[in-house]
Amino acid sequence: MTNDHVTALTCTLCGARYDPTELRYTCENHEGVAGILEVEYDERVILDRFSADLDGDIPSQWKYAPFLPVDTECDPVTLGEGGTDLLDAPQLSVQLGVSVLVKDDGRNPTGCLKDRASSVGLTHASQSGYDTVTCASTGNAAASLAGYAARGGLDCRIFVPAGAPEGKLVQPQIYGADVLAVDGTYDEAYDLSLAVTDVYGWYNRNAAINPFLIEGKRTVGFELAEQSAVRGQVPDWLAFSMGDGCTIAGAWKGFREFFEFGFVDDVPKMLGVQAEGAAAIHDAFHECESTDEVETLADSISVGCPRNTVKACRALSDSGGTAVTVADSEILDGMRLLGATEGLYAEPAGAAPVAGVKRAVEDGIIAPDETVGIVSTGMGLKDTAGAAQATDGATEIAPSLSAVEALY
Ligand SMILES: *Cc1c(COP(=O)(O)O)cnc(C)c1O
Ligand SMILES: [Zn+2]
């Protein structure tokens, strides 16, 4: 095995260290799942093995294989995830009043950024000898896990809140997974998935607690660092939506590592964006009162009890960034704006950062002369019913030229 670059799993709260070859989700010194673990590496071993050119040519995230916590000599379970373009967005920039670039991670194989984590997770699960994987999901993680389980030849059983958008319940079934629609919230589905993991010993993909999963999300940070270096400029800000908080935490960890290795000469400030109706990380960061009741149309970030608040808040504060919230109406505006200005069709959670940047510019958090990288995390096609709320509906006309002439 050549995963000797992984030296330990360490607790983010008390620093306890665990053997990385034992699959362990959380630190035993804390109640419940509070003691989230972090993968620790021997950086010299990684640098010895990493020989790729950081020239902006990124065929998939496995370009960065030596940085990932798996046996890098075995074939990964991959569908070609990562390597998404960092696009200029001149028309969106005009509308937002600040210069933005967009990284469209909705282009990943199952339609969202979570594929980065699923690929690493399934690779780790199959290398560790598991034959069944499970997770709880607001929708996308389920679809993503199911696709990669199919690819890796593992069974997949997933727990989703029954209210998840239909497209996200159908997609994993096409990938052959058992989809268990829990009559409850995401938080209840989450607790149930943990309970069954204990009983059945299945591999649990929940990125918030499985320390290996979040490591896959670092690759979006690696790519942003590489793409920034090639462009010759690091954006002042990177904007991400936050649900459990693993995505922004993973992205920050990855970017910071590439900075520390000297691959890029600066780091961005992280802007975390949440929906007003599901704002627990924002509230924790700003030390204001919070509730675990959730109400937002952005299903992927509809999380009442985020599992990665500690890592997410650390990313915000270490980077000198901050968190903002946006109303659902602003998210719908963001979807229309992203689509109509740049031809990018995002789901609500994928467009929330657009709304967040608009808000941050208006509130003076982002200065007009700064630059922003917006990461759009998920594509819109999975949830037409949700997206329809951002539209006025088609214009019905008679099948005649005069009907068109009446319009234009
Ligand atoms: C899961 C998800 C997020 C949020 O990621 P967290 O790690 O839960 O913060 C954002 N956007 C999309 C599209 C997602 O699927
Ligand atoms: Zn601990």
Side-chain angles (χ1 to χ4, degrees):
M1 293 276 272
T2 42
N3 49 9
D4 50 348
H5 59 302
V6 180
T7 49
L9 301 177
T10 60
C11 175
T12 47
L13 293 182
C14 73
R17 292 164 62 85
Y18 296 95
D19 176 356
T21 60
E22 276 170 43
L23 181 61
R24 158 176 286 286
Y25 296 109
T26 50
C27 176
E28 63 196 16
N29 299 338
H30 317 276
E31 190 107 349
V33 297
I36 300 277
L37 301 177
E38 182 120 44
V39 181
E40 189 187 274
Y41 301 91
D42 184 334
E43 290 166 358
R44 285 162 313 171
V45 176
I46 291 177
L47 286 184
D48 261 4
R49 291 200 184 126
F50 184 67
S51 58
D53 289 331
L54 295 175
D55 57 2
D57 181 20
I58 309 170
S60 89
Q61 70 171 359
W62 291 94
K63 174 172 186 175
Y64 312 107
F67 291 90
L68 298 173
V70 293
D71 180 347
T72 47
E73 276 193 357
C74 295
D75 287 338
V77 178
T78 178
L79 290 162
E81 56 292 328
T84 53
D85 290 330
L86 181 61
L87 301 163
D88 290 316
Q91 295 160 124
L92 181 61
S93 299
V94 170
Q95 294 296 321
L96 293 176
V98 67
S99 175
V100 298
L101 302 165
V102 181
K103 189 164 176 68
D104 183 14
D105 248 53
R107 296 183 193 191
N108 275 299
T110 79
C112 75
L113 184 145
K114 293 191 166 67
D115 290 347
R116 297 173 182 275
S118 296
S119 174
V120 171
L122 258 297
T123 301
H124 181 245
S126 74
Q127 287 178 358
S128 310
Y130 287 84
D131 55 16
T132 304
V133 292
T134 186
C135 76
S137 169
T138 54
N140 280 333
S144 178
L145 179 73
Y148 283 84
R151 186 77 170 165
L154 279 77
D155 287 338
C156 179
R157 298 178 189 144
I158 49 198
F159 298 84
V160 287
E166 194 188 0
K168 294 180 182 177
L169 297 178
V170 171
Q171 191 183 0
Q173 295 178 65
I174 294 294
Y175 295 139
D178 291 347
V179 176
L180 306 165
V182 179
D183 184 13
T185 62
Y186 167 64
D187 296 299
E188 290 168 309
Y190 194 96
D191 290 341
L192 184 55
S193 87
L194 286 188
V196 300
T197 304
D198 274 350
V199 174
Y200 295 99
W202 300 336
Y203 186 91
N204 192 315
R205 180 232 179 267
N206 290 340
I209 57 149
N210 182 325
F212 292 91
L213 264 295
I214 198 169
E215 297 301 300
K217 294 186 172 182
R218 283 149 69 237
T219 65
V220 74
F222 297 158
E223 289 178 16
L224 283 159
E226 174 168 348
Q227 288 164 330
S228 299
V230 168
R231 280 176 177 268
Q233 192 193 9
V234 172
D236 295 291
W237 293 87
L238 284 181
F240 281 86
S241 58
M242 302 190 293
D244 272 317
C246 341
T247 305
I248 196 166
W252 167 246
K253 185 176 178 186
F255 204 112
R256 197 200 56 213
E257 281 171 73
F258 269 28
F259 171 71
E260 285 166 359
F261 284 133
F263 298 162
V264 62
D265 60 13
D266 202 357
V267 288
K269 295 171 273 193
M270 304 301 276
L271 181 71
V273 182
Q274 290 200 291
E276 273 174 7
I281 299 175
H282 165 274
D283 297 345
F285 184 74
H286 291 294
E287 294 175 0
C288 48
E289 240 173 84
S290 197
T291 160
D292 56 14
E293 300 279 301
V294 286
E295 181 62 57
T296 172
L297 63 82
D299 54 285
S300 297
I301 51 172
S302 180
V303 179
C305 314
R307 278 74 194 179
N308 249 307
T309 304
V310 171
K311 280 186 186 174
C313 288
R314 208 171 273 177
L316 298 175
S317 56
D318 286 359
S319 69
T322 191
V324 296
T325 59
V326 288
D328 280 1
S329 59
E330 296 173 79
I331 294 176
L332 292 173
D333 286 344
M335 284 175 74
R336 271 194 302 266
L337 202 54
L338 194 55
T341 56
E342 304 296 346
L344 300 172
Y345 186 8
E347 66 163 77
V354 175
V357 168
K358 187 159 188 272
R359 178 62 82 87
V361 170
E362 282 164 11
D363 290 355
I365 295 168
I366 296 177
D369 62 347
E370 290 189 303
T371 55
V372 187
I374 290 175
V375 179
S376 179
T377 41
M379 64 113 81
L381 285 169
K382 295 183 189 189
D383 180 18
T384 303
Q389 296 177 58
T391 72
D392 299 327
T395 307
E396 288 179 20
I397 59 161
S400 70
L401 189 55
S402 59
V404 179
E405 284 167 347
L407 293 171
Y408 305 103

